[in-house]
């Protein structure tokens, strides 16, 4: 006969983190041409409140043009592609930054016969865009810009060869991109300096780059405490016989964080260091990846004490995007998380944070050509931990042929979303323990 058997289960839960909730990849581009994000010194994604802004360059128009796309709901859905440049030359390597509703984009462009830095902005969260503004004007090639903003203070760095070798230059606007100060040369040596990255916190501006004045590439840092009007001396951040290159910088208050790739272990791994006094002194170098594969081009975003790092890594024979975070200001780091797992080549990732949501963008060729992809974690910036270490009773009914000679033992399997349980004890209606799992 069929019997309704009332069961009483005791579930014992343990502590778990909320942050491991990466959602599926979202393909942002869909055309037969190659679409690419920039090097890691720049960011191709920026976020403010629920607005997420993505920028890249692609070849759908026969030459490289800058394209933009936005989400108004935290990355859940995306609008149409917006073409931001329109000329027969190449426009490429964009960098994006946002403050409130004002979105700033810089890129390099050879419409003038040589590579120059151009700028464009939107004051309505990406709905409409102003005209192109040429930021550089010289016979050298101005390359690979990086942009950062704090309120109405906009800062752009790049490298160029107007001085016969590559040097780092800086330009700023104090009125949200309406007008611009003159170029400032930040480096002056006989070697090549390039790969500059910039971060700003209030009037403090931090710039990092790589150069080979020391016979191999080392990471250098320079800062301004007055919004870029004057600059302190250079500080060498790395000192070893191997290559240290491709830095990514993020500052919040007086704390400055930096990542880079480093060959000191015989292959490229990602290293980290920080300053807690605005860039005056720095901690020792700390590897955040340690494996026999190569890890390249880290991108860093910081929100309070939570640090978010992405890079591409060939530990599984092809290049995939990996993620890592620290919740204590860089003192310790959690385990690597692969964000892609396919046989394509995924590279050039950027990361941004708004509220609790972490946003990542990159390009890969899983579709046969390079396309832009996006991934989000809606709770990735949370440091909250749920502790449920007590026994929690759960009552439910089981419809069963009882007794059942063909199935005398009933196993009960179920899963509770977001919870991992240590033990499951099942009791019958009389309180007798039937099963302990």
């Amino acid at each position: 006969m069929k019997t309704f058997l009332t069961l009483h289960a005791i579930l014992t839960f343990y502590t778990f983190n909320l942050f491991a909730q990466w959602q599926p990849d979202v393909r942002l581009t869909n055309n037969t041409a190659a679409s690419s994000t920039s090097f890691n010194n720049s960011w191709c994604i920026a976020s403010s409140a629920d607005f997420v802004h993505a920028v890249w360059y692609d070849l759908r128009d026969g030459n490289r043009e800058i394209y933009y796309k936005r989400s108004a709901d935290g990355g859940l859905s995306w609008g149409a592609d917006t073409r931001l440049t329109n000329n027969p030359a190449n426009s490429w390597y964009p960098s994006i930054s946002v403050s409130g509703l004002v979105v700033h984009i810089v890129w390099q462009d050879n419409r003038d016969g040589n590579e120059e830095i151009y700028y464009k902005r939107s004051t309505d969260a990406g709905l409409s865009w102003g005209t192109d503004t040429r930021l550089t004007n010289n016979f050298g090639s101005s390359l690979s810009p990086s942009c950062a903003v704090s309120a109405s203070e906009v800062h752009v760095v790049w490298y160029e060869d107007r001085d016969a070798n590559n040097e780092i230059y800086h330009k700023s606007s104090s009125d949200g991109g309406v007008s611009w100060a003159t170029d400032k040369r930040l480096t002056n040596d006989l070697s090549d300096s390039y790969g500059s990255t910039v971060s700003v916190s209030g009037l403090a501006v931090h710039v990092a780059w790589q150069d080979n004045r020391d016979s191999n590439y080392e990471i250098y840092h320079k800062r301004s405490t007055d919004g870029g009007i004057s600059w302190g001396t250079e500080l060498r951040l790395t000192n070893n016989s191997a290559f240290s290159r491709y830095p990514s910088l993020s500052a919040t208050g007086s704390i400055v964080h930096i990542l880079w790739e480093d060959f000191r272990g015989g292959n490229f791994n990602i290293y980290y260091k920080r300053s807690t006094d605005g860039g005056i002194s720095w901690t020792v170098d700390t590897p955040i990846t340690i494996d026999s594969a190569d890890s390249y081009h880290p991108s860093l975003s910081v929100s309070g004490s939570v640090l978010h790092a992405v890079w591409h890594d060939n530990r599984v024979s092809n290049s995939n995007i990996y993620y890592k975070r620290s919740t204590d200001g860089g003192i310790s780091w959690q385990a690597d998380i692969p964000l892609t797992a396919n046989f394509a080549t995924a590279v050039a990732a950027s990361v941004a944070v708004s509220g609790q949501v972490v946003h990542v963008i990159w390009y890969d060729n899983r579709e046969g050509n390079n396309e832009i992809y996006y991934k989000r974690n809606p709770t990735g910036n949370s440091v909250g931990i749920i502790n449920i270490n007590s026994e929690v009773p759960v009552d439910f009914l089981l419809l069963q042929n009882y007794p059942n000679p063909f199935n005398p033992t009933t196993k009960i399997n179920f899963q509770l979303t977001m919870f991992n349980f240590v033990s499951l004890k099942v009791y019958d209606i009389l309180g007798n323990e039937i099963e302990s799992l």
Side-chain angles (χ1 to χ4, degrees), residues 3-216:
T3 302
F4 286 97
L5 180 64
T6 302
L7 300 180
H8 181 75
I10 300 293
L11 281 72
T12 303
F13 299 98
Y14 70 91
T15 301
F16 64 94
N17 291 306
L18 281 175
F19 86 95
Q21 298 180 32
W22 287 97
Q23 296 180 345
D25 303 353
V26 176
R27 182 176 172 180
L28 295 188
T29 59
N30 193 345
N31 64 81
T32 57
S35 303
S36 304
T37 46
S38 300
F39 292 116
N40 70 300
N41 67 303
S42 304
W43 286 262
C44 285
I45 194 162
S47 58
S48 178
D50 286 333
F51 290 104
V52 188
H53 309 276
V55 67
W56 69 94
Y57 62 97
D58 72 40
L59 281 162
R60 73 183 76 173
D61 309 295
N63 61 304
R64 295 177 179 90
E65 301 286 358
I66 305 299
Y67 275 81
Y68 163 85
K69 200 178 191 96
R70 78 165 195 164
S71 170
D73 56 10
L76 293 174
S77 63
W78 291 81
D81 300 356
T82 300
R83 182 177 172 179
L84 295 188
T85 59
N86 193 342
N87 66 79
N90 285 316
S91 304
W92 49 351
Y93 300 122
S95 178
I96 191 169
S97 189
V98 63
S99 178
L101 297 179
V102 186
V103 188
H104 308 271
I105 293 177
V106 293
W107 67 94
Q108 73 182 59
D109 194 306
N110 62 7
R111 71 183 77 173
D112 308 296
N114 63 308
E115 301 287 348
E116 302 286 357
I117 306 301
Y118 275 78
Y119 164 83
K120 200 178 192 92
R121 75 168 188 166
S122 169
T123 59
D124 54 12
L127 286 175
S128 62
W129 291 84
T131 57
D132 300 356
T133 300
R134 183 176 172 179
L135 296 188
T136 60
N137 192 344
N138 62 80
F139 293 106
S141 294
S142 303
L143 306 170
S144 195
S146 180
C147 178
V149 61
S150 177
S152 61
E153 298 282 334
V154 191
H155 299 271
V156 180
V157 294
W158 67 95
Y159 72 92
E160 66 172 58
D161 60 359
R162 74 176 80 167
D163 310 294
N165 61 303
N166 291 319
E167 302 286 358
I168 307 300
Y169 277 80
H170 166 265
K171 198 177 192 87
S172 65
S173 170
S174 60
D175 53 14
V178 177
S179 62
W180 291 83
T182 57
D183 304 354
K184 286 186 172 63
R185 181 177 171 179
L186 298 189
T187 60
N188 193 344
D189 61 76
L190 298 178
S191 67
D192 285 316
S193 303
Y194 61 94
S196 53
T197 181
V198 62
S199 185
V200 56
S201 180
L203 292 177
V205 188
H206 300 272
V207 178
W209 68 93
Q210 67 195 57
D211 73 38
N212 60 3
R213 73 184 75 174
D214 310 295
S215 299
N216 63 302

Side-chain angles (χ1 to χ4, degrees), residues 261-338:
E261 67 180 60
D262 199 299
F263 198 72
R264 71 185 69 178
N267 64 295
F268 283 107
N269 277 295
I270 308 302
Y271 276 73
Y272 163 81
K273 75 193 306 171
R274 70 172 183 164
S275 170
T276 59
D277 53 13
I280 298 172
S281 61
W282 293 78
T283 60
V284 297
D285 304 352
T286 301
I288 70 166
T289 64
I290 307 175
D291 59 67
S292 58
D294 288 314
S295 302
Y296 299 107
H297 290 190
S299 178
L300 177 65
S301 184
V302 177
S303 177
S305 62
V306 186
L307 283 63
H308 305 273
V310 292
W311 66 94
H312 63 266
D313 191 311
N314 65 5
R315 70 184 71 176
V316 290
S317 77
N318 59 302
S319 178
N320 278 294
I321 306 301
Y322 281 79
Y323 165 85
K324 197 180 192 91
R325 78 167 191 166
S326 169
T327 60
D328 55 12
I331 296 173
S332 63
W333 291 80
Q334 296 171 355
D336 302 354
I337 295 176

Side-chain angles (χ1 to χ4, degrees), residues 383-400:
V383 296
I385 304 294
I386 293 181
N387 294 289
I388 307 177
N389 294 314
S390 60
E391 292 185 335
V392 179
V394 178
D395 293 311
F396 53 92
L397 293 176
L398 173 67
L399 180 61
Q400 172 66 289

Side-chain angles (χ1 to χ4, degrees), residues 334-351:
Q334 296 171 355
D336 302 354
I337 295 176
L339 297 189
T340 62
N342 57 69
F343 294 104
T345 297
V347 296
S350 295
V351 60

